Amino acid sequence: MSSSLNRLERKLGHTFQNQDLMLLALTHRSFASRNNERLEFLGDAILNFVAGEVLFERFPQAREGQLSRLRARLVKGETLALLARGFDLGDYLRLGSGELKSGGFRRESILADALEALIGAIYLDAGLETVRERVLDWLAGELDSLTLVDTNKDPKTRLQEFLQSRACELPRYEVADIQGEPHCRTFFVECQVALLNDKTYGQGASRRIAEQVAAAAALVALGVENGND
């Protein structure tokens, strides 16, 4: 296991003085009663602080609400899971047999939680400056892509507010189909808007994502937004 952990250390960019902390961060509650949940709690707090600090510095003109939305983009589960997959984190997780069989090593929530636990472990192992450096390095690409325009409301909210401003009925969303295995599903959603003759459609890894895609398509069909927004 030690050589395997060494490979992960190189990917993370941190060599643990106490490798037991790293092992604990990779231990899911399905594997043992002593698991990564407490480290996840700590890592979540550190991640939010580091993200908030860097956004405060980068966007001096941003209002509190804008900063909050930018931070939410940085620390959301999808972003963390994407980072975790880049580290091949699923290959190193210690999962119970049930989670292994159901593909838990690919599950977004488990990957995101484990990455937060690793942040907590690095903090305990080496302190705040080191963990800040690691987190900012991991998030560099996301940070560089952020602008205050990114704080716009999500498509479902924009569509709802547009229709309400015109005293129209709210959109109706319906799941048309679900495909794939339980741990790797694709949702297909239809969106019905009174101002449109035809439904719009969306698909995604969750119902929420598929609804957002369908709402964005409706905004384009209504001429409110263009497809490049």
Side-chain angles (χ1 to χ4, degrees):
M1 187 68 177
S2 180
S3 62
S4 176
L5 292 183
N6 290 341
R7 287 195 298 274
L8 179 56
E9 285 179 329
R10 289 192 292 272
K11 294 175 182 179
L12 296 173
H14 177 72
T15 301
F16 280 83
Q17 301 299 313
N18 180 0
Q19 213 170 59
D20 287 343
L21 281 170
M22 185 184 191
L23 197 61
L24 183 60
L26 298 170
T27 303
H28 188 257
R29 64 176 179 270
S30 64
F31 186 88
S33 57
R34 187 168 182 269
N35 54 61
N36 65 7
E37 289 183 326
R38 284 171 53 83
L39 283 175
E40 176 202 336
F41 169 81
L42 180 61
D44 176 71
I46 294 165
L47 176 62
N48 275 277
F49 166 70
V50 171
E53 181 185 47
V54 71
L55 291 170
F56 182 85
E57 294 171 350
R58 285 198 176 203
F59 297 97
Q61 304 304 318
R63 299 184 300 276
E64 182 272 340
Q66 291 175 306
L67 290 172
S68 294
R69 287 189 286 274
L70 285 172
R71 182 175 61 183
R73 285 177 62 93
L74 274 182
V75 305
K76 65 183 179 179
E78 293 171 37
T79 301
L80 299 182
L82 186 63
L83 289 173
R85 291 189 180 102
F87 298 138
D88 297 318
L89 198 57
D91 296 343
Y92 303 91
L93 295 179
R94 299 205 297 175
L95 302 170
S97 58
E99 284 292 350
L100 279 173
K101 291 177 182 176
S102 66
F105 57 91
R106 291 190 295 264
R107 189 166 302 132
E108 183 176 282
S109 60
I110 290 178
L111 290 170
D113 290 348
L115 190 63
E116 287 183 335
L118 281 168
I119 291 171
I122 293 172
Y123 168 74
L124 293 177
D125 188 66
L128 183 58
E129 289 307 314
T130 297
V131 76
R132 178 192 281 117
E133 179 185 298
R134 287 296 84 221
V135 168
L136 293 180
D137 183 64
W138 300 345
L139 291 175
E142 287 290 326
L143 279 167
D144 289 344
S145 70
L146 288 180
T147 70
L148 293 182
V149 176
D150 290 327
T151 65
N152 284 340
K153 296 170 183 175
D154 62 73
K156 283 185 67 177
T157 302
R158 297 200 299 272
L159 177 59
Q160 178 174 313
E161 291 181 351
F162 172 80
L163 294 172
Q164 286 176 327
S165 71
R166 285 156 178 75
C168 296
E169 293 181 13
L170 295 182
R172 295 194 301 275
Y173 300 93
E174 185 174 330
V175 177
D177 193 16
I178 303 175
Q179 298 179 8
E181 299 298 321
H183 62 275
C184 190
R185 287 180 169 173
T186 299
F187 289 75
F188 296 83
V189 165
E190 300 174 345
C191 175
Q192 179 68 60
V193 176
L195 295 178
L196 295 174
N197 293 326
D198 299 320
K199 297 177 181 178
T200 59
Y201 303 91
Q203 70 181 72
S206 69
R207 176 173 181 166
R208 179 183 63 83
I209 293 172
E211 288 179 349
Q212 297 287 8
V213 174
L219 287 165
V220 173
L222 288 164
V224 180
E225 299 177 1
N226 65 59
N228 296 318
D229 286 346

